[in-house]
Amino acid sequence: MNWHTTPFDDIATHFETDLANGLTDAGIEKSRGKHGKNELPKEKVKSPILLFLEQFNNPIIYILLAAGVLTALLADPTDSIIIFAVVFVNTLIGFYQEKKAEAALNALKNLTSPSARVLRNGAQSTVTATELVCGDIVFVESGTKVPADIRLVETQELVVDESMLTGESLAVTKKALADVEENASLGDRLNMLYAGTVVQRGRGRGIVTEVGAQSELGIITKNIIEAGDTMSPLQHRLEKFGKKLSIAIGVAILIIFVGGILQDNTLLQMFLTAVGMAVSAIPEGLPVSVTVALSIGVYTMAKRNAIIRKLAAVETLGSTTIICTDKTGTLTANAMTVTRIIAGGRTYTVTGLGYEPEGAVLDESGERASIVKRDSPLATVLSIGLLCTESKIVQENGKTLLVGDPTEGALIVSARKAGFDSEAEAASHSVVGLRPFESENQYMAVTVRAHGKTYLFVKGSAERILRMSWRQWTDDGEQPIDTEAVERDVATLSAQALRVIAFAFREIGENEDVHDDATYRNCIYAGLQGMYDPPREEAKRAIEDCRTAGIKVIMITGDHKETARAIAQQLNMESTIDVVTGAELDGMSDRTLKGIADITEVFARVSPLHKLRIVKALQARNHVVAMTGDGVNDAPALKAADIGVAMGSGTDVAKEASSMVVTDDNFASIAQAVRYGRVIFDNLRHIILFILSTSFGGVLTLTISILARMPLPLLPAQLLWINLVTDGISTFPLAYEKEHGNVMGRPPRESNAGLVPKDMLVSILFAGMIMMLGTLGVYQWALHFYSYFIVTPDLQEFALRKARTMAFVTLALFQIFNVHNSRSLGKSIFSIGPFSNKPLIIVMFVSLTLQVLAIHLPGLNDLLRVIPLTLKEWAICTGVSLTIIVLLELRKFLGGRWAKA
C-alpha cells in the first residue's frame, strides 16, 4: 500500500488499531505474527561449529599439525598424540573465550537498544524499538531516532533530518495533513517518518506502517549489518608489538635449532623442539586475552551504570585529564524544588523538597500565602506554571512520581503547595494549543480558554520573557514594566543557586496562533519562580577523587552565570571559580579560548555548539577530554571528544554518538568509570607481564642449555604441556583483579605511554632469569646426582629422564606461581591479599592438579616421557620454583625503598 496517500482511518482499519487507544495485547501478537519483528536484517551469525573450526585457521596451528603428522610418521606416535591433544585443547580454550566475549558484547548491545513511546491498551508506555509492531501508535519528539516507518496523524512543528536516507542535507518540516502525490519520492512524503531518521525539533504522533526488513531502511540495508571496528588503539599496538616480538623469537629459535643440530641432536628432535618453543614463546594468545579482558571489564562496568559502547574508550579512560560535565541531573539530584517566588513586588518562600506536595507557600511575614484572589500576581504565576506544562505528577504503588520534565514537576508541586487543584484548574482552564519548549526559543507556551476568553500563557528564561513583555502584572493590574527591577530579582535568585523561570501572559483573539511569533508581542510579565536542584553528595566526593587523580572537572551548563557559580562553590570544584558565559564565548577567538579553556571551572549559558568549541580548545592544549551530553545538538561535541559520555535519559542520537552511556545520569558514575577504566588497563598490563615473562623464561632456559651444550632439558611435548596449563588457562583470571590501593591517587597515564614500560621490562627479564637459573639448576643437579652411581646405558637413560621430569615440573611450577607476581607490578601480593582473586586461586589449583596428573597418571606420563617423582623430589622442585615469589617480592620491596630515597 502507498501509506502516504492512504487515509488515517483506512490505515487504522488495515492494522486493526485504534487511534485513541492503540493496539490491544491480542492485536500486538497478531500484528507481530503477520508483519514480523522490528529488526533490521542481520549478518548471518557463525555457527558454533564454524567458529570452532576457525580456531584452526592460524599459522601456529598449521605448524603444530604438520609437526604432529611428521612425528607420527618418522618418530614415536605417542609424541604426535600429545601435539594433537594440545592443539585440540587450545582450540577449545580459544573457542570458549571468543564465545564469552561475543556474549558479553551482545548483552551490552541489548542494554543500549533504542526505545519508543507508544500508546497501547489506552495507556502510554515506553518499549524497546524492537518490540514495535505495525499498527502501533507512536509518539516522537526532539532527539528521537525514528524507530520504524510511520504515517503521521498529528504534528507540532515537527522537523526531521532525513539525510541518512535521502542524502538531502536540509531538514524537512513534516505535516500530518500534507497533500502528497502518489508517486512522490521519499524526501517529498511530508506525512511520513522513516526508520533511522532523526527528529530535530517538535513532536508528532503516528501509526507504524512498516517494521524491520520491510521498512525503507530495511530494504536499503538488506543483507548488510552496521558494524564498526571495535579494535582499540591498545589492540593495534598489541598486534604490532606481537609481530615484532614474534620475529625476535623466531630468530632466537633459529639459532637454537642450528645450535642443536651442531650438537648432534637429531633433525626431527630439533624441529619438534623449535616448534614447541615457538608455541611456548610466541604470545599468540595475547590479542585474544586482551579482547576477553576488555569484554569482561566492559560487562562489569555496565553493572555499575557505565555502558561502554566502544572498546577504545576503556583505554582512553585511563588517560583522561579533563571531564566536561553538565550540571542538572549529573552534578545535581535532578529533583527540582521551587524555594522562592517573586510576584507583584513580593517575595514568597516555598517549603518542602521533592515532588511530594508537602509544604507551603509563605509570604514575607512567614504566614501561608493566600490565593483566594485568583487574579493576584502570585496566583497568576502559579496558575501559568501549573497549566503551561507537558508533565504530570502521578501516584504509583504508593509513591509520588514525575512523568515528564523536572522543572515542570517543580512548578506543578509549588502550585499544589499553595492550594491549587490540578484537575479543577484543568477543568476550568482548557488548554487548546501548545508550543513545545525548544532550546533555540528558550520558552514554552500554551493557549488557554477560560471564562469565555482566550489567553496565551508563556514560561521560559527571564531574558526571553523580558524581551516579549511590555507591561507587568501587579495587585493594581497592568503597570509599566520595570526591567531593571526584574533583572535585579533574577540576579538575587540566581545568586542563591536557584534556577529562574519567568512567566508572562496576554489575552489573545481566537484566531491567533500559538505557533506564530507575532502572537508573543506585548505580553504582560507576571513574575518569577526560583527552584533548587541540590548538588549530589556523591558528586562532591567524586570531584574530590578526580582532583586527587589529576583530572580537572569543568561544568558546562545552560543555566545563569551566578546559579552555575553557586553550585560549583557548593561542590567545592575549586577555591576560586572562574565563569565564562556563552555570550563571552561568541566574542572570543579560538586562540583566546584555547588560552583560558583549561583554567576555567564553569561555562554558563552555553549552547551545544559552544561545547564543540570548548572540546577542540582543550584538545589543542593536549588534553584528553571526556564530554557529557544528552541532546541531539550535543552529538558533534560527543563525537569530537576523546570520550563522549551520553546520559541514560538522553536522546538516542546522543547515545549513538557517544563512547559511553551513563545509565543513572550521575557524575559519580563517570568518575567511577574513570577509576574502573584505570583498573582494567592495569589488568591488561598484568596479563602482558605474565605472558611475556613466562614466554621469556621458557625461551631463555632452552637457549642457555643449547649454548652450554647440555642435553635438552625439556622435550617438545613437555613444552606444549606447559604452554597449555599456564598460558592457556592462567591469563583470564588476571582480568578479574580488583583495584590495588587507590588508582585515583595517581596522575592520568600519558596517552602515548609505551605498552611495556621500563619497570615492566625489568620485571620480565628478572623473572625469566630466575626461571632459567632455577630450571637448569634443578636439571643439572638431578642429572649429576642420579648419574653418579650409574654406569649402564639403561640407567643413564633413567637419570636423564628423571632430570627432565624435575626440570619439567620446576618450569611448570615457576610459571604457575609467577601468575601471583603478575597481579601487581609494584605491590606485594601479601598487601593486596594472596587469596583475594578467587578465579585465580581456582585456576592455580586446576593447573597444579593437572601437573600432578601429568607426572603420576599412568599413560599420560608415558606420553610426556616423564616418570613419577618422590615426595622429596616434589619438595625440591616446589621449593626452587617458589623462589620466584620470594625474589620478586624482594625486588618490589627494594624498588619501593629506592623510590622513596
Side-chain angles (χ1 to χ4, degrees):
M1 295 179 68
N2 288 327
W3 303 116
H4 56 285
T5 59
T6 307
F8 306 142
D9 293 337
D10 291 352
I11 296 175
T13 302
H14 178 79
F15 291 117
E16 301 179 28
T17 189
D18 183 344
L19 294 177
N21 297 300
L23 288 170
T24 61
D25 290 338
I28 293 167
E29 292 305 316
K30 183 177 180 180
S31 180
R32 185 174 288 119
K34 184 176 181 180
H35 302 287
K37 295 182 178 180
N38 189 30
E39 294 178 346
L40 288 174
K42 294 182 179 179
E43 186 178 23
K44 190 176 180 180
V45 178
K46 293 176 184 176
S47 68
I49 294 175
L50 182 59
L51 187 62
F52 176 75
L53 292 176
E54 280 189 350
Q55 305 304 313
F56 291 91
N57 187 22
N58 185 312
I60 295 294
I61 300 298
Y62 297 155
I63 295 172
L64 280 175
L65 291 175
V69 172
L70 287 173
T71 304
L73 294 174
L74 304 176
D76 192 338
T78 55
D79 280 344
S80 66
I81 295 173
I82 289 289
I83 293 173
F84 291 137
V86 168
V87 168
F88 181 74
V89 174
N90 269 328
T91 300
L92 280 179
I93 292 170
F95 171 75
Y96 170 76
Q97 288 178 328
E98 281 203 31
K99 287 293 289 181
K100 187 167 184 177
E102 180 184 315
L105 294 177
N106 283 337
L108 293 185
K109 289 178 182 177
N110 293 333
L111 286 172
T112 57
S113 58
S115 58
R117 190 157 59 97
V118 299
L119 178 66
R120 290 177 173 177
N121 298 306
Q124 290 188 30
S125 61
T126 300
V127 300
T128 58
T130 55
E131 293 180 46
L132 286 180
V133 297
C134 289
D136 262 326
I137 307 300
V138 175
F139 300 86
V140 296
E141 57 191 4
S142 295
T144 301
K145 183 177 181 181
V146 178
D149 289 0
I150 298 171
R151 170 61 191 275
L152 289 165
V153 175
E154 180 183 359
T155 57
Q156 295 176 349
E157 293 191 343
L158 186 62
V159 178
V160 180
D161 177 5
E162 295 184 327
S163 58
M164 59 78 59
L165 188 65
T166 65
E168 176 59 53
S169 59
L170 296 177
V172 181
T173 300
K174 297 288 186 175
K175 296 180 180 179
L177 302 178
D179 186 14
V180 181
E181 296 181 4
E182 188 167 344
N183 61 352
S185 64
L186 289 179
D188 294 327
R189 297 177 189 176
L190 303 182
N191 57 4
M192 294 289 298
L193 296 178
Y194 292 104
T197 59
V198 179
V199 178
Q200 284 195 342
R201 63 176 182 269
R203 58 198 64 216
R205 177 171 66 100
I207 307 174
V208 174
T209 56
E210 300 287 3
V211 294
Q214 303 307 314
S215 68
E216 291 295 334
L217 182 62
I219 294 170
I220 293 172
T221 60
K222 192 83 77 175
N223 299 320
I224 298 174
I225 182 173
E226 293 181 28
D229 181 14
T230 58
M231 184 175 281
S232 73
L234 170 65
Q235 290 169 301
H236 281 296
R237 296 214 305 270
L238 279 174
E239 187 176 40
K240 188 176 179 181
F241 174 77
K243 288 179 179 178
K244 290 181 178 179
L245 186 63
S246 298
I247 292 172
I249 293 173
V251 172
I253 291 172
L254 181 61
I255 294 171
I256 292 170
F257 178 79
V258 174
I261 296 296
L262 295 176
Q263 293 182 29
D264 300 325
N265 290 296
T266 66
L267 181 64
L268 179 62
Q269 187 178 35
M270 289 313 303
F271 170 73
L272 294 176
T273 300
V275 169
M277 285 185 64
V279 176
S280 178
I282 295 175
E284 73 281 354
L286 187 56
V288 175
S289 298
V290 168
T291 300
V292 171
L294 286 172
S295 300
I296 291 171
V298 165
Y299 194 63
T300 304
M301 290 178 75
K303 295 178 181 179
R304 303 185 181 190
N305 302 316
I307 300 173
I308 302 295
R309 299 186 68 254
K310 300 173 184 175
L311 287 179
V314 178
E315 178 188 0
T316 313
L317 279 168
S319 305
T320 302
T321 57
I322 288 182
I323 301 176
C324 297
T325 176
D326 291 328
K327 176 182 72 67
T328 304
T330 306
L331 294 173
T332 58
N334 204 22
M336 299 296 289
T337 305
V338 174
T339 59
R340 294 286 187 275
I341 300 173
I342 297 179
R346 296 186 178 89
T347 300
Y348 301 87
T349 300
V350 185
T351 62
L353 295 173
Y355 300 123
E356 295 285 350
E358 297 175 356
V361 178
L362 307 178
D363 60 22
E364 292 168 326
S365 65
E367 299 294 326
R368 182 181 289 272
S370 172
I371 56 167
V372 174
K373 188 179 179 183
R374 287 305 176 97
D375 63 350
S376 69
L378 174 62
T380 301
V381 166
L382 292 170
S383 179
I384 295 173
L386 183 63
L387 295 170
C388 190
T389 185
E390 293 183 272
S391 304
K392 58 183 177 180
I393 304 290
V394 297
Q395 294 291 325
E396 190 173 299
N397 298 324
K399 294 182 179 180
T400 301
L401 300 176
L402 167 68
V403 179
D405 179 70
T407 298
E408 294 185 339
L411 297 176
I412 294 171
V413 172
S414 70
R416 287 184 177 182
K417 288 176 180 177
F420 275 94
D421 183 299
S422 298
E423 293 181 2
E425 196 70 10
S428 62
H429 295 71
S430 58
V431 176
V432 295
L434 179 146
R435 185 168 185 171
F437 177 86
E438 297 290 347
S439 58
E440 292 86 354
N441 296 331
Q442 292 295 311
Y443 66 84
M444 174 195 171
V446 293
T447 49
V448 175
R449 213 163 269 155
H451 313 302
K453 297 180 180 180
T454 303
Y455 295 93
L456 176 73
F457 285 175
V458 190
K459 75 171 191 292
S461 69
E463 296 92 332
R464 190 69 182 86
I465 297 300
L466 278 176
R467 284 203 298 270
M468 65 175 65
S469 300
W470 75 298
R471 308 273 282 177
Q472 67 184 39
W473 191 247
T474 69
D475 288 325
D476 298 323
E478 289 184 34
Q479 298 292 330
I481 190 168
D482 186 345
T483 303
E484 291 184 0
V486 174
E487 289 174 344
R488 283 196 300 271
D489 290 340
V490 171
T492 299
L493 295 180
S494 297
Q496 299 171 32
L498 300 179
R499 183 178 184 185
V500 182
I501 304 296
F503 302 84
F505 71 98
R506 67 175 284 246
E507 184 179 346
I508 61 174
E510 291 186 10
N511 296 326
E512 289 188 77
D513 187 0
V514 71
H515 302 293
D516 186 354
D517 290 343
T519 305
Y520 296 84
R521 296 172 185 164
N522 301 327
C523 287
I524 301 169
Y525 168 76
L528 306 170
Q529 292 197 52
M531 58 191 67
Y532 178 67
D533 184 11
R536 296 178 185 260
E537 283 301 317
E538 62 270 29
K540 188 182 295 186
R541 292 191 296 270
I543 288 173
E544 180 58 36
D545 287 343
C546 287
R547 185 183 297 114
T548 304
I551 301 170
K552 183 180 179 67
V553 178
I554 297 177
M555 180 196 297
I556 300 180
T557 177
D559 265 348
H560 194 277
K561 178 177 181 178
E562 294 306 321
T563 304
R565 187 195 301 275
I567 291 292
Q569 288 171 338
Q570 292 180 37
L571 288 166
N572 298 325
M573 288 181 63
E574 292 290 348
S575 56
T576 303
I577 305 298
D578 292 316
V579 183
V580 174
T581 65
E584 290 168 339
L585 281 175
D586 288 334
M588 193 179 292
S589 68
D590 289 340
R591 184 175 180 179
T592 303
L593 177 57
K594 176 183 173 182
I596 60 99
D598 60 357
I599 59 172
T600 302
E601 285 69 43
V602 177
F603 290 91
R605 306 303 284 172
V606 299
S607 70
L609 291 179
H610 288 138
K611 285 187 175 183
L612 181 59
R613 286 190 66 199
I614 293 167
V615 168
K616 290 183 176 179
L618 291 169
Q619 289 173 331
R621 301 275 294 180
N622 297 319
H623 285 291
V624 178
V625 183
M627 169 68 77
T628 68
D630 54 10
V632 177
N633 293 335
D634 289 330
L638 292 175
K639 275 188 172 291
D642 298 282
I643 300 180
V645 182
M647 299 296 106
S649 62
T651 63
D652 294 337
V653 176
K655 292 175 185 176
E656 290 199 1
S658 69
S659 306
M660 182 173 82
V661 178
V662 177
T663 56
D664 62 352
D665 295 10
N666 194 336
F667 179 80
S669 295
I670 302 174
Q672 276 296 102
V674 173
R675 175 187 294 275
Y676 203 70
R678 291 186 175 191
V679 173
I680 292 173
F681 191 83
D682 284 350
N683 289 343
L684 292 178
R685 279 192 163 169
H686 299 156
I687 290 172
I688 295 169
L689 173 62
F690 173 70
I691 290 177
L692 295 187
S693 59
T694 53
S695 296
F696 181 63
V699 171
L700 192 61
T701 299
L702 284 182
T703 302
I704 297 300
S705 69
I706 290 176
L707 293 177
R709 304 183 68 83
M710 301 177 190
L712 287 176
L714 293 155
L715 296 176
Q718 295 165 358
L719 287 171
L720 292 171
W721 176 267
I722 290 174
N723 183 56
L724 171 65
V725 299
T726 55
D727 290 2
I729 62 176
S730 297
T731 52
F732 78 88
L734 291 171
Y736 291 97
E737 195 66 32
K738 296 178 181 178
E739 178 180 358
H740 298 157
N742 180 18
V743 297
M744 296 295 274
R746 65 186 189 221
R749 174 177 50 83
E750 293 289 337
S751 57
N752 59 350
L755 195 59
V756 180
K758 183 178 178 181
D759 56 345
M760 183 187 289
L761 182 60
V762 171
S763 288
I764 291 169
L765 296 175
F766 191 50
M769 291 288 291
I770 295 169
M771 292 182 201
M772 179 271 294
L773 291 171
T775 303
L776 292 182
V778 169
Y779 174 69
Q780 284 292 92
W781 174 86
L783 195 61
H784 286 83
F785 180 82
Y786 290 106
S787 299
Y788 188 76
F789 301 106
I790 297 172
V791 293
T792 64
D794 289 344
L795 292 177
Q796 286 181 347
E797 175 62 28
F798 169 82
L800 180 60
R801 199 164 186 177
K802 177 70 78 169
R804 280 177 173 161
T805 301
M806 292 187 71
F808 169 53
V809 170
T810 302
L811 184 59
L813 293 180
F814 262 134
Q815 300 200 1
I816 292 170
F817 294 143
N818 186 47
V819 74
H820 258 306
N821 294 319
S822 303
R823 293 175 60 195
S824 176
L825 197 58
K827 288 187 175 293
S828 166
I829 62 172
F830 300 102
S831 67
I832 64 179
F835 305 107
S836 59
N837 188 329
K838 297 297 188 296
L840 184 139
I841 298 301
I842 293 170
V843 165
M844 284 187 66
F845 177 77
V846 171
S847 297
L848 289 169
T849 303
L850 289 172
Q851 190 61 34
V852 172
L853 291 175
I855 303 301
H856 294 282
L857 185 66
L860 181 57
N861 53 15
D862 290 334
L863 289 173
L864 290 169
R865 300 284 198 280
V866 295
I867 55 178
L869 299 180
T870 65
L871 190 60
K872 179 181 178 182
E873 290 164 346
W874 269 104
I876 292 170
C877 296
T878 304
V880 171
S881 59
L882 282 172
T883 59
I884 196 165
I885 292 180
V886 175
L887 292 175
L888 283 172
E889 282 291 301
L890 182 61
R891 179 188 172 277
K892 291 176 184 178
F893 174 75
L894 294 176
R897 294 287 296 270
W898 290 332
K900 293 176 182 178

